[in-house]
Amino acid sequence: MHRLRHCLLVAGAVFIGTVVAAAQSPGRERGRDDDNGPLGRPPRAGPPGRFEPGRLLPPPIRAELDLTEEQERQLDDLEREVKGRLLRILTDTQQQKLREHRRPPPGGFDGPPDDAGPPDIDAPPAQRSRRSAPKKLSPPAAAAAAKPENAPAAIQWYATWDSGLREARRTNRPILLVSAAPHCAGVSGIW
Amino acid sequence: MDRSFLSQPNVIAAAQPFVCIRLTTYEDKKEGAFLKSFHVTGSGELENTVFAILSPDGKRPLVRASRSARDTFGDADQMAVALTRIAHDYEAKSRAGQGLPALPLVANVRLAVDVAACDHRPLVVLYAPRHDDLERLEAQLTPLAWSDDFLGRFIYVRASQPKELEMVSGVSVPTGVLIVQPDRFGQHGNVLTQVAAAAPANKLVQCLQEGLEKHQPESESFRVHVRAGHEQGIFWQTVIPVTDPMERRAREQGRRP
């Protein structure tokens, strides 16, 4: 019963996502026939938003609902869950087709970086790493994975891209990159 | 930021072969442009969080980039497994044993105090007006920072002018190492312990240990922290504009009387 409910949830999300994607036709924003539209906001520059797997409400609708902070948080959690489940259902080939439906960002794709620029994440498949989707390890390999009992208290982070990249190049080690704002709702002291 | 994955012991262990970089969103123009180029948001703008695993030259994604580790992996166990597999692939080519890593420094004292508060960690300030003295302090501290005793336990920053330490109380050495307790909102710090630059190496170790013992991490929920911050008029001014629609809205709401 639980499994059936999850399947229905994911199917519903896929259906809604498909309807939203079909509605996001190029060259026309919803409700934005004049400068400030019925939503009272100026139209966004550039093409309409890209199809995003897992997105349940298109941004203009979401903005119109004037959700509370708690509702925003719950909706984010729900969209993340749906997106995660959807991407686990799809094969690598299907995920690739989904990505091909996504329009390029305003200004086009970023080219390969020269020094510390962006990775070529939207490059054609031939140029992309085959490692974009992690493969699940077989049981013996999984058992050989990192043992936590000797782990340090926490990860030691490099705090700037330049310093971390320098170290990665020096040692030829891969990079684990995260970014977060050291404040929330304007209040510092919390991520 | 979803910290739950990054504080799991198996993820911490699996992350050790990596160069782990954590950027503070909206605090550097160049980094902001770089983070935006990952295109992990529906708005097309830079939003609060980005997550990626990259090749050593920083150019090639090794997994699907996203807003968070949870988005990419689903759970911490899968993340640990993926990190282990990737690390294994790079093991033979790694030059990790050659020389010590650089000290992981935050860009400035103001940001470092805030980051230390966010992380509930003490802040280590290397303070010396002369560049040579600063380099010497850094050379002394670097092996300690990467040692088993102190790995991941401090935030580090350099300062060379007195005005950089205006937000830190209790400084009494003209040059040296300060261990600082950030306040609740990361807007001010108090020196817990300090050692002069000329002190022997064992004094520096003692200073770090004492700082860890005296440090008192804050412990409160997200909701309590943010509400108290709004009531007290706490507001963090970013270097570049906040472009996350939800965060922008929350900031505006928080500033309303």
Side-chain angles (χ1 to χ4, degrees):
Chain A
M1 188 63 186
H2 191 63
R3 193 182 169 86
L4 176 63
R5 197 167 69 201
H6 279 162
C7 287
L8 288 174
L9 177 69
V10 173
V14 172
F15 174 72
I16 290 170
T18 306
V19 168
V20 167
Q24 290 174 2
S25 54
R28 182 180 178 277
E29 292 265 349
R30 275 192 176 195
R32 303 207 192 282
D33 292 323
D34 54 330
D35 278 345
N36 282 322
L39 299 181
R41 296 181 188 83
R44 225 168 346 146
R50 298 178 291 169
F51 165 68
E52 272 294 329
R55 182 189 284 166
L56 300 174
L57 296 175
I61 304 296
R62 186 161 166 159
E64 190 179 356
L65 293 177
D66 204 16
L67 301 171
T68 65
E69 205 173 297
E70 180 58 29
Q71 287 175 318
E72 295 275 13
R73 215 177 351 260
Q74 287 185 27
L75 186 56
D76 281 347
D77 286 346
L78 182 59
E79 285 187 337
R80 266 195 291 274
E81 183 183 341
V82 168
K83 182 178 179 181
R85 288 176 182 274
L86 176 63
L87 293 177
R88 279 197 290 276
I89 289 170
L90 300 178
T91 64
D92 287 354
T93 307
Q94 289 166 337
Q95 289 189 36
Q96 176 55 32
K97 284 183 182 173
L98 209 59
R99 281 188 288 270
E100 284 164 8
H101 279 289
R102 297 173 66 191
R103 296 188 187 84
F109 294 116
D110 292 303
D114 44 3
D115 181 28
D120 204 5
I121 197 150
D122 278 329
Q127 295 177 21
R128 294 190 58 195
S129 166
R130 288 172 185 262
R131 299 193 177 104
S132 57
K135 300 184 185 70
K136 294 200 180 201
L137 288 184
S138 61
K147 292 181 170 43
E149 53 265 21
N150 297 324
I155 292 173
Q156 184 65 66
W157 297 99
Y158 284 87
T160 65
W161 174 247
D162 285 346
S163 63
L165 179 64
R166 207 160 32 239
E167 179 62 16
R169 285 176 169 170
R170 183 183 76 87
T171 55
N172 201 40
R173 287 153 63 202
I175 294 169
L176 171 61
L177 173 68
V178 305
S179 184
H183 49 88
C184 195
V187 177
S188 49
I190 196 162
W191 290 108
Chain B
M1 175 171 77
D2 181 355
R3 301 175 59 157
S4 58
F5 283 32
L6 301 173
S7 58
Q8 295 297 311
N10 58 345
V11 171
I12 293 172
Q16 293 312 298
F18 289 74
V19 172
C20 300
I21 305 175
R22 184 182 60 191
L23 305 181
T24 41
T25 319
Y26 313 119
E27 299 303 323
D28 182 275
K29 189 175 175 184
K30 184 180 163 194
E31 288 178 353
F34 167 64
L35 292 168
K36 185 177 173 180
S37 72
F38 283 91
H39 306 306
V40 295
T41 68
S43 67
E45 295 289 347
L46 173 63
E47 292 182 7
N48 278 9
T49 61
V50 176
F51 174 83
I53 298 179
L54 306 171
S55 55
D57 61 4
K59 297 186 180 184
R60 194 163 50 90
L62 301 180
V63 297
R64 181 179 60 85
S66 69
R67 289 287 309 274
S68 72
R70 187 182 297 276
D71 277 356
T72 296
F73 294 111
D75 62 56
D77 288 341
Q78 279 304 313
M79 180 175 177
V81 164
L83 290 178
T84 302
R85 174 181 58 76
I86 293 169
H88 178 75
D89 289 345
Y90 278 90
E91 194 176 0
K93 296 171 268 189
S94 168
R95 298 187 290 270
Q98 300 178 12
L100 209 55
L103 191 63
L105 296 165
V106 180
N108 57 69
V109 174
R110 173 182 175 261
L111 188 57
V113 174
D114 185 23
V115 168
C118 291
D119 272 355
H120 310 300
R121 297 250 181 264
L123 171 65
V124 176
V125 181
L126 290 70
Y127 177 55
R130 285 167 40 114
H131 181 74
D132 289 349
D133 291 338
L134 213 42
E135 293 288 300
R136 218 168 356 254
L137 283 176
E138 194 171 324
Q140 273 187 290
L141 205 46
T142 298
L144 298 175
W146 293 104
S147 69
D148 289 343
D149 285 342
F150 300 124
L151 188 65
R153 307 189 73 177
F154 292 101
I155 304 298
Y156 299 91
V157 71
R158 283 166 38 143
S160 58
Q161 298 174 21
K163 69 177 179 184
E164 294 180 75
L165 297 183
E166 280 174 353
M167 59 193 304
V168 179
S169 300
V171 181
S172 62
V173 293
T175 62
V177 174
L178 320 169
I179 314 299
V180 175
Q181 165 97 41
D183 70 358
R184 187 182 184 190
F185 298 108
Q187 305 246 323
H188 185 264
N190 285 310
V191 172
L192 295 168
T193 179
Q194 54 198 314
V195 62
N202 65 325
K203 290 291 183 190
L204 180 54
V205 173
Q206 283 175 13
C207 181
L208 292 173
Q209 287 169 339
E210 194 179 331
L212 285 175
E213 286 161 15
K214 288 183 172 177
H215 177 255
Q216 293 178 335
E218 294 280 348
S219 169
E220 60 185 355
S221 72
F222 166 86
R223 189 180 296 277
V224 166
H225 183 95
V226 170
R227 189 188 307 133
H230 287 159
E231 286 168 358
Q232 295 179 37
I234 302 293
F235 186 78
W236 181 265
Q237 193 63 52
T238 56
V239 171
I240 62 173
V242 170
T243 44
D244 184 317
M246 275 180 50
E247 174 61 23
R248 213 169 44 219
R249 203 160 38 242
R251 285 163 72 88
E252 287 161 13
Q253 286 171 353
R255 292 199 93 172
R256 285 181 203 149

